[in-house]
Amino acid sequence: MILQCMVCLVCLALLSLPATAQGGPEVPKFHEETATSGLDASFTGEWEQMVGGGVATFDCNGDRRPDMAIAGGTSPATLWVNESPTGGALRFVPLDGGIGLTGVSGLYPLDIDGDAITDLVALRVGEDVVLRGKGDCRFTRANETWHFDGGDLWSMAFAATWEAGSDWPTLAIGSYIDRTQDAFPWGSCTDNRLFRPAPDGGFAAPLPLLPGFCALSMLFTDWNRSGQPALRVSNDREYYKGGQEQLWHIAAGQPPRAYTEAEGWLRLRVWGMGIASSDLDFDGFPEYFLTSMADNKLQTLVDPGSHLPRYADVAFPRGAIAQRPYTGGDVRPSTAWHAQFEDVNNDGFSDLFIAKGNVSEMPDFAQKDPNNLLLQRLDGSFEEAGDRAGIASFLTARGAALADFNLDGQMDLVVVNRNGPAQVWRNEGTAGHWIALALHQPGPNRDAIGARIEVDMGDHIQRREVASGGGHAGGSLGWLHFGLGAQATARVRVIWPDGPASDWADLAADGFHDLTRGGPPSGWQP
């Protein structure tokens, strides 16, 4: 009864948002350019590759275009250098940069050692490997140099943060089923691990995050704006053992500790696969979209003033359930994986992409399961536009990324498919203005992971938490995109990871801007 009342209060709050404009949001047009782009990658394999298949987007050669690293499963992981002309057709060239490991399920970009060169964390079925970036799209194994214990697990989830006073990041790695058990592939879940910095550099021995319930996504997030990020974990299995979604206290100098029901954490059981986050109602607190099989969730904080992590599901009133295919004729429940909020039509409101695909011929779930593109209306609800936008693929999707590959201010799309070719679409553009921002600060955490960006839209403020993690088996590092609608300028400020806020700055729309801590903004041209 209490939870029902909380949901009612949330629904009433949604009704107070601005009314929907007649005609709904503008639908962007995506043009698939897989065949002409040069991209030729697949995530292959059977049982041990039924989950995973991520993509990392980041700049590996200094030209500030998003390059790609794609997990291969039983095939080698691949690196793709972006040679797309500004505003033109997408083009990628393969490069043997030292990441061609097999058994890779996911890849996440992060400047681990603070040398201004992006490194990669390769999650694997087997030993996880940290790959140090050497510049010019070259990487080398760094497990021994950085004292990183890669273990021998089935790793599937990743998140990173910098704890107060640390020169090195804290890494969380989530693992899946114990593949050594006789009951494989349906054995027990294994423990997740937390890697904290060692006093002399690199990483200390990992701490277990107990219990583990087969994590498929993780995200460090300052959910209550306390200045202390917590770790969200989305779990897939073992409900008969108490399995549920988790939120962990990760306080500097303290052992990790899971939030309890006594602290307000409400038990939630889904087949958790991916996490996406955005402040959809502009109240300063993020909402979280959790992908699952059939029953996706959109969680909003019920009472921010209480400082209790009580969330209500508003997926149904906001039209973000995406529980069945919307085209193709298959009416069985969907299976959702990577999710990502981005403004794909540049109207100033976050939209939601969801990658879809059956786990492995599961007869109770859709086989023809198209990816979703949910466009946000002005009233905060969403409408399906995947078929109209041209991205309704029926291949078996897993990981994905929305990124501006040709630096024209429009968010393009790459999707990794299991036992099928990866696909890439170019966003042909909409009428809205946009702005792209990059954060820089001296010392460790050069990309300001954990910062928040605020963009003043007049009647509301867009807010974005800069994070490393979430999604499904892959993440992005680089330009942060905001749609501006009709605004020709943007009023922007940064709240840096340790709390200080920059002054508000007025920036020209339709351009790229570097925001450096302690200095004035500067423009950049492709």
Side-chain angles (χ1 to χ4, degrees):
M1 183 64 180
I2 294 174
L3 183 56
Q4 289 176 339
C5 292
M6 292 191 297
V7 173
C8 290
L9 290 172
V10 171
C11 293
L12 288 172
L14 293 177
L15 296 177
S16 67
L17 293 172
T20 305
Q22 187 175 3
E26 183 179 2
V27 178
K29 298 298 182 184
F30 285 82
H31 182 248
E32 185 176 355
E33 296 187 343
T34 305
T36 57
S37 69
L39 181 64
D40 182 16
S42 294
F43 178 72
T44 61
E46 296 309 319
W47 284 114
E48 290 178 318
Q49 286 74 38
M50 63 182 176
V51 295
V55 53
T57 65
F58 61 103
D59 173 26
C60 67
N61 58 5
D63 67 359
R64 311 201 73 175
R65 284 170 165 74
D67 306 300
M68 294 190 294
I70 297 179
T74 57
S75 302
T78 53
L79 182 64
W80 298 88
V81 177
N82 185 356
E83 295 189 353
S84 308
T86 303
L90 303 185
R91 186 167 64 235
F92 301 93
V93 175
L95 178 67
D96 181 11
I99 74 164
L101 301 166
T102 58
V104 175
S105 57
L107 291 155
Y108 284 86
L110 185 72
D111 183 1
I112 294 174
D113 58 352
D115 64 354
I117 301 174
T118 301
D119 312 302
L120 283 172
V121 178
L123 307 180
R124 300 179 67 230
V125 179
E127 181 193 31
D128 298 330
V129 177
V130 289
L131 296 163
R132 182 180 182 181
K134 299 169 64 179
D136 197 25
C137 300
R138 305 288 175 178
F139 297 85
T140 187
R141 176 186 169 97
N143 284 30
E144 290 74 25
T145 304
W146 291 347
H147 312 297
F148 176 79
D149 178 4
D152 183 14
L153 297 166
W154 183 354
S155 297
M156 275 306 313
F158 174 84
T161 190
W162 266 259
E163 297 186 69
S166 294
D167 290 338
W168 283 67
T170 292
L171 312 180
I173 295 181
S175 61
Y176 201 54
I177 296 167
D178 185 349
R179 60 196 178 87
T180 66
Q181 291 184 353
D182 292 338
F184 178 79
W186 305 117
S188 298
C189 299
T190 47
D191 298 337
N192 303 321
R193 301 187 295 164
L194 186 75
F195 294 81
R196 280 178 155 155
D200 55 351
F203 297 99
L207 300 172
L209 294 171
L210 300 171
F213 300 119
C214 290
L216 288 180
S217 188
M218 290 176 158
L219 180 67
F220 280 108
T221 177
D222 188 0
W223 64 273
N224 59 355
R225 297 303 184 237
S226 65
Q228 178 62 60
L231 178 66
R232 281 199 72 129
V233 182
S234 196
N235 293 306
D236 184 35
R237 302 187 62 229
E238 294 199 345
Y239 305 131
Y240 60 94
K241 293 183 178 180
Q244 59 176 297
E245 300 296 280
Q246 293 170 306
L247 185 69
W248 290 82
H249 295 274
I250 307 291
Q254 300 296 320
R257 179 175 64 84
Y259 277 82
T260 66
E261 292 188 30
E263 295 175 282
W265 183 248
L266 300 176
R267 180 172 297 187
L268 176 64
R269 295 173 173 177
V270 294
W271 287 309
M273 295 177 177
I275 306 172
S277 172
S278 180
D279 180 9
L280 298 176
D281 54 12
F282 313 116
D283 67 349
F285 297 89
E287 278 67 50
Y288 300 95
F289 188 79
L290 310 176
T291 59
S292 183
M293 300 172 72
D295 190 18
N296 303 301
K297 301 292 186 182
L298 179 59
Q299 291 194 312
T300 190
L301 193 60
V302 173
D303 183 8
S306 72
H307 301 289
L308 297 176
R310 291 185 179 273
Y311 286 86
D313 179 28
V314 294
F316 184 77
R318 297 191 79 151
I321 45 177
Q323 84 279 31
R324 294 183 187 275
Y326 56 90
T327 189
D330 197 330
V331 299
R332 290 172 291 181
S334 285
T335 305
W337 299 90
H338 181 86
Q340 186 173 341
F341 285 106
E342 294 286 354
D343 188 352
V344 297
N345 56 5
N346 287 336
D347 62 359
F349 295 88
S350 292
D351 309 303
L352 176 61
F353 172 81
I354 310 170
K356 293 284 190 68
N358 196 291
V359 174
S360 183
E361 301 294 331
M362 296 186 74
D364 294 333
F365 292 86
Q367 295 292 333
K368 296 181 68 176
D369 202 0
N371 303 321
N372 297 96
L373 186 63
L374 298 173
L375 303 181
Q376 188 177 177
R377 304 184 183 104
L378 296 182
D379 65 356
S381 64
F382 291 84
E383 67 176 58
E384 181 60 62
D387 48 354
R388 290 176 287 157
I391 57 93
S393 170
F394 291 109
L395 296 181
T396 306
R398 289 294 188 267
L402 286 159
D404 183 4
F405 289 117
N406 60 358
L407 300 184
D408 64 353
Q410 313 293 332
M411 298 302 284
D412 308 304
L413 173 65
V414 60
V415 176
V416 179
N417 297 302
R418 181 174 178 234
N419 291 325
Q423 295 171 281
V424 65
W425 288 264
R426 176 169 58 89
N427 186 342
E428 296 181 343
T430 54
H433 293 292
W434 56 274
I435 195 167
L437 307 172
L439 305 189
H440 312 278
Q441 63 177 5
N445 192 12
R446 299 178 67 95
D447 298 302
I449 303 299
R452 299 198 307 275
I453 302 175
E454 297 186 339
V455 178
D456 190 348
M457 300 293 292
D459 60 348
H460 66 276
I461 293 178
Q462 295 191 63
R463 295 178 176 88
R464 179 165 186 161
E465 189 173 35
V466 182
S468 176
H472 180 73
S476 298
L477 184 67
W479 293 110
L480 301 161
H481 176 91
F482 294 84
L484 299 176
Q487 292 190 186
T489 60
R491 190 166 175 260
V492 176
R493 75 168 182 171
V494 179
I495 302 172
W496 297 98
D498 56 342
S502 69
D503 294 332
W504 288 97
D506 292 316
L507 305 177
D510 304 329
F512 298 84
H513 300 267
D514 288 299
L515 304 180
T516 301
R517 186 167 183 168
S522 59
W524 179 83
Q525 291 290 333

